[in-house]
Amino acid sequence: MKAIHVLNGPNLNLLGTREPAVYGRESLADIEKTIRALCAGKGVSCEFRQTNSEGELVTWVQEAGRAGAGVILNAGAYTHTSVALHDAIKGSGAIVIEVHISNVHARERFRHHSYISPVAKGVIIGLGAQGYQLALQALLEAPAA
Ligand code: DQA
């Protein structure tokens, strides 16, 4: 895997101040710094992005699929609603690790279903911001397909 795209969905720009009891105190910029350093250490290029727009996430997933990049995707609330993201992953062939900072299964029922999981290579849930690092490790250590 020569390139990693870390794609973050709605409200993840608020990390650090958003419900710290649920999401912790690390900001998205903190997570980005860690992931960029790990990618640089492995000689892998890194795109790190956040958007509040579903369509933009769809476009970015397609782009990552075309580029053959590994994707770390925290789609935020779109995880639970977006058939469009499901289709984008399936249609583009993007290799996606789904990440959630919080344990969505220990939260409200509407967070228990994911449109991403059936088309993801793997899922990391509830391990805090460390989930991004674990996803990166999984992508970088995966045997070539
Ligand atoms: C989240 C969980 C989602 O249910 C929520 O809408 C988010 C963040 C997480 O990282 O724990 O925005 O994806």
Side-chain angles (χ1 to χ4, degrees):
M1 199 68 65
K2 291 271 178 287
I4 298 292
H5 291 198
V6 187
L7 307 181
N8 294 282
N11 299 306
L12 291 164
N13 54 312
L14 301 179
L15 283 180
T17 55
R18 172 193 186 195
E19 300 181 78
V22 175
Y23 296 112
R25 294 253 173 226
E26 265 190 80
S27 68
L28 197 61
D30 295 333
I31 295 171
E32 176 174 359
K33 201 170 157 198
T34 303
I35 295 297
R36 281 194 186 284
L38 289 170
C39 283
K42 295 280 185 189
V44 168
S45 80
C46 176
E47 288 289 337
F48 195 104
R49 301 173 178 172
Q50 188 276 330
T51 179
N52 292 325
S53 146
E54 181 178 9
E56 198 158 26
L57 266 185
V58 167
T59 299
W60 290 349
V61 166
Q62 292 179 2
E63 191 184 309
R66 270 197 307 276
V71 180
I72 299 171
L73 175 62
N74 185 348
Y78 293 139
T79 303
H80 316 299
T81 61
S82 181
V83 176
L85 270 177
H86 174 106
D87 286 351
I89 296 166
K90 211 170 178 174
S92 69
I95 306 294
V96 170
I97 308 282
E98 175 183 359
V99 169
H100 299 287
I101 293 168
S102 66
N103 180 356
V104 287
H105 297 292
R107 301 181 63 195
E108 303 95 324
R109 203 170 174 77
F110 63 82
R111 295 184 204 276
H112 296 182
H113 178 262
S114 167
Y115 282 98
I116 311 294
S117 298
V119 287
K121 180 161 195 271
V123 182
I124 298 172
I125 289 177
L127 299 179
Q130 195 197 2
Y132 286 78
Q133 295 175 48
L134 296 170
L136 179 64
Q137 191 183 340
L139 285 169
L140 295 183
E141 291 179 9

